[in-house]
Amino acid sequence: MLTNDIIDQVFGRKPYALTIPQLQAYVRTYTYKKSYQMVVTREENKLYIRATNPKSRLPKVQLHPKSDGLFFIKEAALSFSFEKDSKEGVTSMASYYRNKKDVDWKKEK
């Protein structure tokens, strides 16, 4: 099985770079159900995501940008898209499993 890193090298894909303010816009907690949340944090120039529900099996992992608003993780077939508006900035997040929409997550206020 090829990892994303090997595929990137073979096909010459370069990582998409975001500025610190662009990354910071995604930092917050997103809720699906009252007891089920995803927390996005930033360390330096990288974003991380983790689930608060221990049953979710998603520890803290790095989010890799495909573009501004689209991210993936290397540890599983999960990707994430973020919705924005002109007033509030990021308003929600959607998770995708194997490119099929899985869950809509609302931004915590």
Side-chain angles (χ1 to χ4, degrees):
M1 176 186 268
L2 292 175
T3 67
N4 285 332
D5 291 332
I6 294 170
I7 292 169
D8 290 346
Q9 289 176 0
V10 170
F11 292 103
R13 295 189 297 201
K14 293 188 167 98
Y16 189 87
L18 295 173
T19 65
I20 297 297
Q22 286 175 307
L23 293 171
Q24 190 62 37
Y26 300 108
V27 173
R28 57 186 28 92
T29 300
Y30 300 88
T31 302
Y32 169 59
K33 294 180 180 177
K34 194 171 191 171
S35 63
Y36 200 70
Q37 298 176 324
M38 293 283 211
V39 178
V40 176
T41 57
R42 180 181 65 82
E43 295 176 19
E44 305 272 333
N45 62 343
K46 296 177 183 174
L47 286 182
Y48 294 87
I49 191 165
R50 71 174 173 82
T52 60
N53 185 334
K55 294 179 183 177
S56 73
R57 300 186 324 219
L58 183 62
K60 179 179 167 183
V61 294
Q62 186 178 347
L63 282 173
H64 300 274
K66 290 183 183 180
S67 66
D68 188 10
L70 296 173
F71 296 83
F72 67 95
I73 64 172
K74 293 182 178 181
E75 294 78 5
L78 286 173
S79 59
F80 302 88
S81 68
F82 294 84
E83 295 293 322
K84 296 180 185 180
D85 70 16
S86 59
K87 291 182 182 180
E88 293 184 48
V90 176
T91 58
S92 63
M93 175 181 78
S95 57
Y96 297 82
Y97 178 68
R98 297 183 187 237
N99 295 323
K100 291 185 182 178
K101 194 173 201 178
D102 186 35
V103 177
D104 286 313
W105 304 82
K106 300 295 178 197
K107 173 181 85 170
E108 286 282 309
K109 300 275 180 183

